[in-house]
Amino acid sequence: MADSDLLQNKIIGFIGGGNMAQAIGMGILKKGIIKPNNIWISSRTEKTLSIWKNVGANTTFKNYEVVQKSDIILLCVKPQLLNEALETSIPPSNCDQEKLFISVIVGVTLAALQAKLSKIVSKPRIVRSMPNTPLLVSEGITVYCSSLTTENDEAVMKLLFSSTGICEKIQESLMNSAGALTGSGPAYGYMIVEALADGAVRRGIPRETATKFAAQVLVGAGKMILQTEKHPGQLKDEVCSPNGSTIAGVHALESGAVRASLMNAIAAAASRSDELSSSTQN
Ligand SMILES: NC(=O)c1ccc[n+]([C@@H]2O[C@H](COP(=O)([O-])OP(=O)(O)OC[C@H]3O[C@@H](n4cnc5c(N)ncnc54)[C@H](OP(=O)(O)O)[C@@H]3O)[C@@H](O)[C@H]2O)c1
């Protein structure tokens, strides 16, 4: 089957229409992979639903309506609200039992999802994913693992998430660690950009210009690593002249323990995901 046929006549539903749902949904809409009238969204507030109505998607306050209408259902609520959202996702009358569920929820394991979703449909096929918000601008990363999925489901998953960035399947045991980098990473990137811009503002560069320059520096550095495939340390060495200005800046970063801080950030986020995995088992 051609990629373009995979989602033909398929309805994609989102339970929870917030930031992550918007990054995924608006990202794939921009790519033209699905039409707005093939999307169903449920959320709690009119404010969130109106964002989706404005792009022509179908909206409802009833989670079970999304389950009934959709072939592929993305679970996009906060981990603490998942049980509550799923309680209201059980259709009042029998619906097609063949559904693919894609969870984006941090920490919630395939086993936990299996137990919870089996109360909604008898044979849930499940993907546990960790996407990130840059999907919205087609520069995302999604890591995932799956259970009871078909070859077709895997192809759908790749189509949905590769269209807006990198999408890679990994072992479930690595999900929380990978998510600490990919899912949480944009926040660290924003902080680094903001801090670099602050430094430039301190030296007299206007704020807007400083932020634009700092963001482009990170985009450029990332692309250099991906496209040249050189080690980041080598690329760093290539811009550090002996006794030059860049090595002076590098020394300042090392004095501030920037590497240890970033490594600690990954460890802290992964530990918190592990805690969430334990607390969302039931
Ligand atoms: N944000 C990220 O960068 C990121 C990255 C990777 C994974 N994730 C995961 O994505 C999930 C969602 O995060 P988010 O940042 O998108 O949060 P968010 O912006 O707060 O969105 C969550 C949405 O869930 C809706 N909701 C809450 N309870 C509901 C219920 N009972 N029924 C239906 N909808 C309900 C909320 O509706 P209202 O707005 O109408 O109140 C809200 O729009 C989390 O589990 C998180 O782990 C997020």
Side-chain angles (χ1 to χ4, degrees):
M1 190 186 292
D3 273 1
S4 52
D5 297 336
L6 277 171
L7 292 175
Q8 208 163 28
N9 304 322
K10 293 275 186 250
I11 304 293
I12 299 191
F14 291 83
I15 295 180
N19 291 319
M20 202 60 240
Q22 287 167 37
I24 299 166
M26 305 299 175
I28 56 176
L29 277 174
K30 267 198 233 166
K31 289 279 168 183
I33 282 171
I34 189 142
K35 297 195 178 75
N37 61 351
N38 285 350
I39 293 184
W40 272 87
I41 315 284
S42 61
S43 228
R44 288 178 306 191
T45 59
E46 188 56 51
K47 190 174 166 219
T48 299
L49 291 184
S50 66
I51 296 168
W52 291 95
K53 276 184 195 158
N54 287 342
V55 296
N58 304 287
T59 63
T60 176
F61 289 116
K62 296 173 186 144
N63 292 336
Y64 69 79
E65 207 176 351
V66 169
V67 175
Q68 276 174 326
K69 305 260 192 215
S70 311
D71 304 290
I72 301 159
I73 299 143
L74 284 101
L75 303 172
C76 298
V77 296
K78 296 281 188 199
Q80 301 84 343
L81 297 175
L82 177 62
N83 284 346
E84 188 189 317
L86 291 183
E87 273 161 27
T88 50
S89 295
I90 304 171
S93 59
N94 255 2
C95 64
D96 179 6
Q97 301 284 292
E98 294 285 314
K99 308 267 180 197
L100 172 64
F101 289 87
I102 301 174
S103 166
V104 306
I105 303 170
V106 71
V108 185
T109 62
L110 284 170
L113 289 165
Q114 181 72 39
K116 293 174 200 291
L117 293 169
S118 297
K119 294 178 189 154
I120 298 177
V121 296
S122 59
K123 287 183 202 147
R125 299 173 343 258
I126 306 169
V127 170
R128 171 185 172 191
S129 71
M130 183 50 50
N132 66 10
T133 50
L135 260 69
L136 185 62
V137 293
S138 300
E139 292 289 355
I141 309 177
T142 305
V143 290
Y144 75 99
C145 55
S146 57
S147 152
L148 305 174
T149 47
T150 61
E151 247 178 58
N152 206 53
D153 293 335
E154 298 281 328
V156 162
M157 183 65 201
K158 285 272 181 197
L159 176 63
L160 280 176
F161 289 91
S162 301
S163 64
T164 46
I166 295 172
C167 175
E168 286 191 13
K169 189 167 186 172
I170 61 171
Q171 289 168 28
E172 181 164 33
S173 57
L174 297 177
M175 281 296 291
N176 288 346
S177 304
L181 172 59
T182 60
S184 309
Y188 316 146
Y190 302 138
M191 286 175 72
I192 293 167
V193 166
E194 193 183 17
L196 291 172
D198 279 346
V201 169
R202 190 164 174 231
R203 294 289 301 185
I205 309 290
R207 168 67 61 186
E208 207 178 313
T209 309
T211 303
K212 183 168 69 181
F213 287 177
Q216 180 60 24
V217 163
L218 260 72
V219 169
K223 284 195 171 166
M224 283 291 283
I225 294 167
L226 291 175
Q227 290 178 17
T228 65
E229 295 183 12
K230 288 184 183 174
H231 188 284
Q234 185 187 342
L235 288 165
K236 182 263 295 167
D237 287 355
E238 285 171 8
V239 288
C240 286
S241 314
N243 201 23
S245 54
T246 307
I247 195 67
V250 166
H251 180 251
L253 285 173
E254 295 289 10
S255 305
V258 71
R259 287 179 202 246
S261 299
L262 290 169
M263 287 173 71
N264 287 341
I266 303 296
S271 298
R272 179 65 189 130
S273 299
D274 290 342
E275 284 170 15
L276 285 167
S277 290
S278 305
S279 68
T280 51
Q281 273 306 105
N282 298 311

